[in-house]
């Protein structure tokens, strides 16, 4: 969205922002047919235009497991492809009239770019299948191109890393539960490649299903389940992952068979791809397990020290948060010079008092 804002003075509306309700109603009430649009945010922003405010962060929830993530992605892709009619010069409004399409070229490109993104995984798999069979030359070239396409997070991170001028790699990023930085980009690229076969199947299903509904049946266009509901209903065991992702193993075996028939000299790297795609359900299951925080390995002396600190902390509130100060904790108690209790409080000390009470109880 930064690039659109910088180059075209127009951001992307993603369903979060401030807008004039009257203008929203005036422009959109008769613009879009009923029961025709699943992913409405981009289309609404294209009609009304949206500005990007880069210094405001809105944090959205993210699926905790790969199966719920993939189902959400399937729904998003269906929504993206349901905007196909808005790529034409004329569209149908809510009254059923054929009118001129008011969307700008940039807005149409945003719609088209979302569709392009959903074709990346199918394109990677088609490239690997064709490279193992009908494409000329060394199979390693085609496999290298496929992996290069999957490595876009590494390239993006490296470019941003260089352009930002921050050429240091902080040690802290390697010692936390959140995977970020260069390690996050590397893991993401590897997982994109491992899940490419299943993602290709998933995207193809979403695209064909949507095109059929938009052009022919006109049914189930608003089929939608929230990510939270999906996550609550899906099982998180290996068997359910295998039943959902068996197509990955099938495509892995197909690549190997094609390579055996057409390019047997490249069976080594193809075998690696086959094994990764067969193992994809187990890998998805493994990374979807709940994170279990390890209990710190503390000695008896460490535990005793922590208990002494906890007892001293609680004693401060126990003694000084009295009726004299309306049971509010004082800001401090000064021993040297001995001025005693400071009869004022602070939000920090009140927060610590409440946290201490909760921990004691």
């Amino acid at each position: 969205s930064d690039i659109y804002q910088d180059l075209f003075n127009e951001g992307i509306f993603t369903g979060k922002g401030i807008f004039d309700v009257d203008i929203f109603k005036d422009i959109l009430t008769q613009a879009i047919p009923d029961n025709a649009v699943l992913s409405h945010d981009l289309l609404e922003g294209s009609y009304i235009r949206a500005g990007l405010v880069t210094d405001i962060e809105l944090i959205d929830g993210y699926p905790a497991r790969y199966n719920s993530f993939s189902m959400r992605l399937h729904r998003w892709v269906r929504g993206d492809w349901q905007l196909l009619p808005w790529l034409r010069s004329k569209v149908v409004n809510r009254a059923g009239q054929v009118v001129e399409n008011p969307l700008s070229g940039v807005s149409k490109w945003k719609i088209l770019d979302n569709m392009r993104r959903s074709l990346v995984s199918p394109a990677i798999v088609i490239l690997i299948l064709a490279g193992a069979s009908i494409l000329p030359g060394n199979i390693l070239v085609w496999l290298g191109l496929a992996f290069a396409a999957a490595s876009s997070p590494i390239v993006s991170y490296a470019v941003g890393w260089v352009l930002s001028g921050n050429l240091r790699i902080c040690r802290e990023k390697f010692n936390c539960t959140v995977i970020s930085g260069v390690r996050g980009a590397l893991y993401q690229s590897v997982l994109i490649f491992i899940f490419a076969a299943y993602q290709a199947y998933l995207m193809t299903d979403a695209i064909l299903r949507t095109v059929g509904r938009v052009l022919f049946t006109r049914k189930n266009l608003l089929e939608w389940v929230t990510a939270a509901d999906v996550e609550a209903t899906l099982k998180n065991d290996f068997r359910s992952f295998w039943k959902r992702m068996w197509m990955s193993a099938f495509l892995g075996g197909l690549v190997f068979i094609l390579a055996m028939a057409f390019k047997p000299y490249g069976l080594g790297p193809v075998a690696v791809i086959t094994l990764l795609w067969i193992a994809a359900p187990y890998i998805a299951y493994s990374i979807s397990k709940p994170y279990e925080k390890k209990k710190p390995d503390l000695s008896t002396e460490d535990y005793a020290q922590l208990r002494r600190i906890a007892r001293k902390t609680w004693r401060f509130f126990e003694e000084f948060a009295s009726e004299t100060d309306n049971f509010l904790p004082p800001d401090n108690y000064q021993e040297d010079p001995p001025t005693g209790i400071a009869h004022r409080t602070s939000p920090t000390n009140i927060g610590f008092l409440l946290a201490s009470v909760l921990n004691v109880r």
Side-chain angles (χ1 to χ4, degrees):
S1 197
D2 289 355
I3 295 175
Y4 287 114
Q5 183 72 50
D6 294 342
L7 296 182
F8 306 106
N9 295 318
E10 181 179 334
I12 300 177
F13 180 56
T14 57
K16 300 173 180 66
I18 301 172
F19 57 86
D20 188 300
V21 176
D22 292 333
I23 293 177
F24 187 92
K25 289 171 61 179
D26 290 344
I27 294 177
L28 290 174
T29 298
Q30 299 300 326
I32 301 173
D34 292 335
N35 303 320
V37 174
L38 182 60
S39 295
H40 55 90
D41 303 6
L42 177 60
L43 188 61
E44 291 167 348
S46 297
Y47 269 93
I48 299 177
R49 291 172 56 85
L52 174 69
V53 186
T54 54
D55 57 349
I56 297 177
E57 281 193 17
L58 294 169
I59 308 301
D60 209 352
Y62 200 84
R65 306 198 299 258
Y66 178 74
N67 51 9
S68 54
F69 160 78
S70 60
M71 290 299 96
R72 186 181 72 165
L73 182 61
H74 187 274
R75 171 171 58 84
W76 281 358
V77 171
R78 286 194 294 109
D80 292 336
W81 280 81
Q82 275 184 219
L83 299 182
L84 263 174
W86 277 269
L87 294 178
R88 299 184 300 210
S89 58
K90 295 183 181 294
V91 294
V92 178
N93 64 14
R94 188 182 182 191
Q97 302 168 329
V98 178
V99 297
E100 292 290 331
N101 187 351
L103 300 191
S104 65
V106 173
S107 295
K108 291 180 180 179
W109 165 253
K110 293 175 187 176
I111 295 173
L112 191 63
D113 191 41
N114 280 346
M115 297 177 181
R116 174 208 56 81
R117 187 165 56 241
S118 66
L119 292 171
V120 171
S121 294
I124 289 175
V125 172
I126 290 173
L127 178 60
I128 293 175
L129 290 172
S133 56
I134 61 175
L135 289 178
N138 195 320
I139 189 175
L140 293 178
V141 174
W142 306 115
L143 297 182
L145 288 174
F147 187 74
S151 301
S152 57
I154 297 177
V155 176
S156 299
Y157 178 81
V159 172
W161 186 54
V162 172
L163 293 179
S164 67
N166 184 17
L167 303 180
R168 296 184 303 106
I169 299 178
C170 296
R171 182 69 182 170
E172 289 80 5
K173 289 185 180 293
F174 292 90
N175 296 310
C176 62
T177 57
V178 178
I179 302 174
S180 60
V182 64
R183 186 172 61 146
L186 178 62
Y187 284 3
Q188 189 176 1
S189 296
V190 171
L191 290 177
I192 286 174
F193 192 78
I194 291 174
F195 297 145
Y198 175 64
Q199 291 284 101
Y201 161 74
L202 197 68
M203 297 299 94
T204 302
D205 178 83
I207 293 167
L208 294 179
R209 191 186 297 258
T210 304
V211 170
R213 291 173 178 178
V214 170
L215 299 182
F216 303 106
T217 67
R218 305 297 301 173
K219 294 180 179 179
N220 299 319
L221 291 174
L222 299 187
E223 183 183 1
W224 181 77
V225 181
T226 67
D229 288 337
V230 170
E231 197 156 290
T233 56
L234 290 177
K235 294 182 179 179
N236 198 36
D237 54 17
F238 173 66
R239 183 179 179 182
S240 65
F241 275 90
W242 175 258
K243 288 175 65 176
R244 185 173 297 275
M245 300 178 65
W246 64 269
M247 182 59 73
S248 178
F250 172 79
L251 290 173
L254 180 60
V255 171
F256 192 80
I257 292 171
L258 290 175
M260 279 185 17
F262 292 94
K263 298 183 179 180
Y265 61 86
L267 284 182
V270 170
V272 174
I273 294 175
T274 299
L275 291 175
L276 288 175
W277 286 2
I278 291 175
Y282 179 77
I283 295 172
Y285 162 69
S286 297
I287 65 174
S288 299
K289 290 180 180 179
Y291 173 74
E292 296 181 2
K293 191 173 182 180
K294 294 181 180 179
K295 190 175 181 180
D297 187 15
L298 299 177
S299 64
T300 304
E301 292 77 10
D302 292 332
Y303 276 111
Q305 177 69 6
L306 286 173
R307 288 183 175 277
R308 282 193 294 270
I309 295 173
R311 180 56 193 160
K312 284 184 176 182
T313 303
W314 172 247
R315 187 178 177 186
F316 174 86
F317 298 114
E318 189 177 39
E319 291 192 8
F320 296 140
S322 62
E323 186 176 2
T324 305
D325 291 307
N326 300 309
F327 298 101
L328 294 173
D331 184 75
N332 61 79
Y333 179 86
Q334 186 165 313
E335 294 182 347
D336 187 20
T339 57
I341 299 176
H343 294 283
R344 58 183 183 275
T345 190
S346 68
T348 303
N349 283 23
I350 294 174
F352 273 120
L353 169 63
L354 295 175
S356 297
V357 172
L358 288 173
N359 278 291
V360 169
R361 291 187 182 277

